[in-house]
Amino acid sequence: MSRIALLSETVASQVAAGEVVERPASVVKELVENSIDAGAKHIEVMIRRGGISYIRVIDDGSGMDRDDALLCLERHATSKIRTGADLSAIHTLGFRGEALPSIASVSRFRLATRESQAIAGTEVIISGGKIESVRDSGDAPGTQIEVRSLFYNLPARRKFLRTENTEASHVEHQLHLQSIGHPEIGFVFLNDDRIVRQLPPTKHLRDRIRDLCGSSLATDLLEIPEFATDSIAIRGFLGKAGVSRSSRAQQLVFLNGRAVENSTINFALREGYHTALMKGQHPVTFLFMEIDPAEVDVNVHPSKREVRFRNPTWIREAIIEATRRTVESDRTNWTKTFQADSPHLTPPSEETPPLIPVVEQIVLRQDWNNLPFQFPKPNPLPINQPENFPQTPVDLSVPLPVTIPTLSPIIASPQINSNPPPSTPSKDFKILGVLGKLYLIMENSTGLVLVDQHAAHERILFEEMKKRMEEQGVPGQRLLIPLTIDVSPRDTDWLIRNLDLLHRAGIGLEPFGTGTFKVDSLPTFLSATEPTQLLRQIIEDLRETSSQTSKVRLGEEMIAMTVCRHAVKANDYLREPELVRLVEDLLACELPYCCPHGRPTMIQMSYAELEKKFGRKA
Ligand code: ADP
Ligand code: MG
């Protein structure tokens, strides 16, 4: 007796549903994508009990005639592709022809649809994949699909569903994606008969983001400056430097209108942010990319969430570049934050009594009175008497990585103390003092500015050393006893191709027999207790990086590791000219907003915020 049998259509659909329909949110995704493909201008989504008991999607799209309304419930029935060749030119969200039959096979399903010119529409009712009735319906033009009792006939699948709240939040996330992807479409979302979201159609993505995420997020975003080559166009919004999240929930990426997940893109975004993103954190992105559909395979995942690129390299480079330009575009605005000069500002006059000394470490010195910047007068309160000050101010020129020759002091040249510089210090900013031996307190035209002196100094050192490394390479220090390191064939290949790069970064590495390398020097400023492990880490990190970025990246990783130890710390006492120099040098940095580990160097609190805190304004 033969052991093989063809599955019935219903069972085959249920098997397919295992891939396409994972939970209520996947039903919503498929239905909304169909509505978008049908040219809808308004889409209403309603769920009850997390979508487990009820889902309804209504659109005002093209609708279907009776033949299509029946055909669309067959497996592999689609209006979106015809031939295999069409697979490489997909312009619609759907194309597999699997969603509707799959959903209908695991629920109690109702489809009502009508074309705009038709006198009557069609209603089809299906339970567990079996058609129960087909008749005329009088609904408005468009399509309405109701899905009740999801997985009622597959108890094993139903058990995998989470709480109603969790399922509802997955649905909401799905709608979040779709509505950001299509600001031109109006969306309404009802949960348990309450309107949760009502998003009017809009021309501008910015408006949709504000309607959906609130205006405070909108102020944290930067618009991607125009970026288009022959093969790719990138637009959208990215979080400013230092804006990050602990999950990828707000890292939205759309490729040809489809929300996608892809490790190349994730990697490129991180790389573009570079040191402006904290380790382990994820950027906030509303990234839109248009590329030739032939360059991307969207048919690698049943729910089309993941995509594969035919040639990831140029896509990665484009995203890195667009991200980098966006993050850097904020520089001018950021720098303006430091400006204290403003017609609305009344600087504290000589007569103004000093503020209550919250600021214990306000640094005061008689001979600074000549300096061309505003500075508080000596405070009569005992707290500021000279003996309270540390006797030996930090000399910032000393703790720099001593092994890098001719590295000039970056901050505070000694003669500043005796001869105040003529008029170079910018009048634009105003330092009020130092709090807790760490935070510079400054004032600008809109309120209070705090600068983390350690983070700022790290950034300054980092950029200085990076420049040096790019110009001169990093000196290596010979190891007393050379190490050997065994690597896999894949890494061997990579290392041999990148020997030059490693040498420039101060790593003396030579092939030493098959699959073995000898290391006889390491960068001097690197105090690795486990050099072998460190090298492996570096190889690991760099293999993923593209050749163009890796050169810079390798050095940066090492520099970032070392500057932290050399930068001024909390509790290091800086004199006024050093503080001024610190701010000036920070303002001259390429990416001044963050230390090399992605922590912000500056935060501000506006008068408006202060007024709110003091109850002056509601
Ligand atoms: P796919 O979207 O991959 O083509 P589906 O099973 O999701 O497969 O849908 C099958 C077909 O049904 C679609 O190709 C489309 O022609 C039609 N269809 C589905 N939903 C709608 C809708 N909301 N409005 C108009 N036509 C629809
Ligand atoms: Mg579809």
Side-chain angles (χ1 to χ4, degrees):
M1 199 182 108
S2 94
R3 282 175 296 149
I4 301 176
L6 272 178
L7 296 178
S8 75
E9 265 307 297
T10 310
V11 177
S13 292
Q14 286 176 348
V15 172
E19 295 182 319
V20 182
V21 189
E22 192 188 339
R23 57 183 2 151
S26 24
V27 173
V28 169
K29 172 181 189 285
E30 294 296 336
L31 297 183
V32 170
E33 286 189 350
N34 280 345
S35 298
I36 295 171
D37 282 344
K41 297 273 164 290
H42 285 273
I43 300 175
E44 183 192 295
V45 178
M46 169 158 156
I47 60 169
R48 290 204 186 106
R49 303 192 44 202
I52 301 167
S53 78
Y54 185 72
I55 298 169
R56 186 185 69 193
V57 175
I58 305 178
D59 70 52
D60 61 354
S62 64
M64 287 176 269
D65 65 14
R66 176 155 303 185
D67 287 351
D68 278 356
L70 289 169
L71 202 54
C72 76
L73 297 160
E74 301 282 332
R75 276 179 14 97
H76 311 303
T78 179
S79 56
K80 300 170 192 175
I81 56 169
R82 288 281 181 268
T83 65
D86 293 346
L87 268 180
S88 56
I90 290 168
H91 292 279
T92 48
L93 296 170
F95 58 88
R96 297 168 62 100
E98 272 186 332
L100 293 186
S102 299
I103 297 166
S105 72
V106 294
S107 67
R108 301 184 200 282
F109 183 94
R110 175 181 178 269
L111 159 73
T113 185
R114 187 182 140 199
E115 291 178 305
S116 62
Q117 307 302 329
I119 310 163
T122 305
E123 181 194 61
V124 185
I125 293 179
I126 299 186
S127 272
K130 299 226 163 42
I131 295 192
E132 296 197 335
S133 80
V134 182
R135 60 176 179 221
D136 281 356
S137 86
D139 291 290
T143 302
Q144 191 182 113
I145 289 177
E146 289 173 283
V147 176
R148 281 170 222 271
S149 315
L150 188 63
F151 298 138
Y152 80 98
N153 51 350
L154 288 180
R157 295 301 302 275
R158 209 180 158 100
K159 275 199 205 114
F160 278 96
L161 296 179
R162 299 299 172 89
T163 63
E164 291 170 13
N165 280 344
T166 308
E167 293 302 337
S169 69
H170 284 287
V171 171
E172 189 150 14
H173 178 67
Q174 216 17 264
L175 288 171
H176 197 99
L177 290 176
Q178 305 284 2
S179 60
I180 291 291
H182 297 273
E184 74 286 358
I185 298 176
F187 284 89
V188 177
F189 176 44
L190 295 105
N191 186 358
D192 287 332
D193 300 290
R194 262 184 328 109
I195 295 187
V196 183
R197 295 251 178 230
Q198 198 154 18
L199 302 167
T202 164
K203 279 209 188 75
H204 303 291
L205 175 62
R206 183 190 287 277
D207 295 338
R208 176 55 55 88
I209 295 174
R210 191 180 338 92
D211 291 346
L212 193 67
C213 312
S215 46
S216 78
L217 177 71
T219 58
D220 276 347
L221 298 177
L222 298 169
E223 182 156 16
I224 299 173
E226 200 179 305
F227 190 97
T229 66
D230 290 347
S231 39
I232 187 167
I234 300 180
R235 62 188 177 85
F237 292 86
L238 300 178
K240 293 179 178 173
V243 174
S244 64
R245 301 286 184 268
S246 54
S247 81
R248 285 220 179 89
Q250 268 185 335
Q251 186 179 325
L252 313 189
V253 177
F254 299 85
L255 180 71
N256 297 344
R258 180 194 309 279
V260 295
E261 282 167 25
N262 175 277
S263 55
T264 300
I265 300 175
N266 294 344
F267 175 81
L269 281 166
R270 306 201 118 267
E271 197 64 24
Y273 267 94
H274 221 68
T275 52
L277 190 70
M278 262 190 258
K279 269 226 151 70
Q281 292 283 98
H282 303 279
V284 174
T285 70
F286 298 88
L287 182 78
F288 286 73
M289 296 184 294
E290 315 298 328
I291 64 172
D292 177 352
E295 290 291 339
V296 53
D297 187 355
V298 288
N299 194 21
V300 290
H301 191 275
S303 66
K304 297 157 286 176
R305 202 169 51 213
E306 278 160 32
V307 293
R308 203 162 32 201
F309 294 115
R310 194 208 287 221
N311 179 357
T313 311
W314 57 263
I315 292 176
R316 181 171 51 208
E317 298 301 340
I319 300 173
I320 293 174
E321 185 56 22
T323 308
R324 197 184 57 74
R325 284 189 206 169
T326 311
V327 176
E328 284 178 12
S329 71
D330 194 30
R331 207 176 168 289
T332 320
N333 272 335
W334 191 90
T335 311
K336 274 196 202 129
T337 311
F338 284 78
Q339 278 171 9
D341 281 349
S342 158
H344 316 294
L345 187 77
T346 38
S349 68
E350 301 289 86
E351 285 74 45
T352 315
L355 296 169
I356 299 169
V358 184
V359 185
E360 291 187 19
Q361 283 78 22
I362 284 185
V363 185
L364 299 170
R365 280 203 172 185
Q366 286 302 325
D367 54 342
W368 289 350
N369 288 346
N370 301 333
L371 291 175
F373 43 78
Q374 296 254 355
F375 201 12
K377 285 263 158 202
N379 192 318
L381 292 168
I383 185 164
N384 277 329
Q385 280 177 358
E387 54 268 29
N388 284 350
F389 292 118
Q391 295 306 300
T392 43
V394 175
D395 182 355
L396 290 171
S397 60
V398 177
L400 290 174
V402 281
T403 49
I404 293 194
T406 73
L407 188 58
S408 62
I410 291 162
I411 318 180
S413 54
Q415 71 269 42
I416 286 182
N417 298 332
S418 44
N419 291 324
S423 60
T424 33
S426 161
K427 272 207 175 69
D428 285 355
F429 59 82
K430 191 155 117 190
I431 299 174
L432 301 179
V434 180
L435 177 72
K437 296 185 192 163
L438 175 59
Y439 303 108
L440 268 76
I441 304 180
M442 299 175 65
E443 166 180 341
N444 70 3
S445 50
T446 57
L448 176 73
V449 174
L450 294 174
V451 174
D452 180 325
Q453 71 175 37
H454 176 61
H457 194 209
E458 273 187 359
R459 164 54 63 184
I460 296 163
L461 287 183
F462 177 76
E463 292 203 0
E464 173 74 17
M465 288 180 61
K466 197 178 113 183
K467 212 183 297 162
R468 260 164 212 284
M469 192 197 74
E470 278 159 11
E471 283 161 9
Q472 308 165 3
V474 172
Q477 191 167 47
R478 293 205 90 71
L479 299 177
L480 278 178
I481 307 160
L483 303 163
T484 53
I485 149 170
D486 296 327
V487 294
S488 68
R490 201 169 52 147
D491 287 347
T492 306
D493 190 43
W494 187 91
L495 281 176
I496 289 180
R497 274 188 286 117
N498 289 279
L499 275 182
D500 171 50
L501 156 67
L502 292 159
H503 289 165
R504 276 179 64 81
I507 301 175
L509 193 77
E510 297 301 338
F512 194 65
T514 324
T516 306
F517 285 81
K518 188 178 76 174
V519 186
D520 58 11
S521 68
L522 283 175
T524 22
F525 53 78
L526 204 67
S527 72
T529 40
E530 239 322 329
T532 326
Q533 208 177 330
L534 180 95
L535 265 176
R536 281 192 196 290
Q537 183 62 46
I538 290 173
I539 296 168
E540 187 69 25
D541 287 354
L542 290 174
R543 208 164 2 90
E544 294 167 17
T545 329
S546 67
S547 54
Q548 198 197 323
T549 45
S550 59
K551 216 163 262 179
V552 186
R553 195 65 174 168
L554 170 62
E556 283 180 354
E557 283 286 333
M558 292 193 287
I559 294 171
M561 274 187 244
T562 188
V563 287
C564 187
R565 283 181 283 120
H566 291 292
V568 291
K569 292 280 188 284
N571 294 326
D572 282 353
Y573 160 64
L574 299 186
R575 289 167 297 196
E576 174 72 11
E578 292 160 345
L579 295 175
V580 171
R581 185 73 186 271
L582 184 78
V583 174
E584 284 177 343
D585 286 347
L586 179 66
L587 289 173
C589 283
E590 263 172 46
L591 266 186
Y593 348 91
C594 294
C595 79
H597 314 93
R599 283 185 292 104
T601 49
M602 176 273 281
I603 57 170
Q604 54 174 326
M605 194 179 281
S606 66
Y607 285 121
E609 281 172 272
L610 289 170
E611 278 164 4
K612 223 160 137 189
K613 283 201 194 299
F614 282 109
R616 286 172 175 273
K617 254 192 204 153

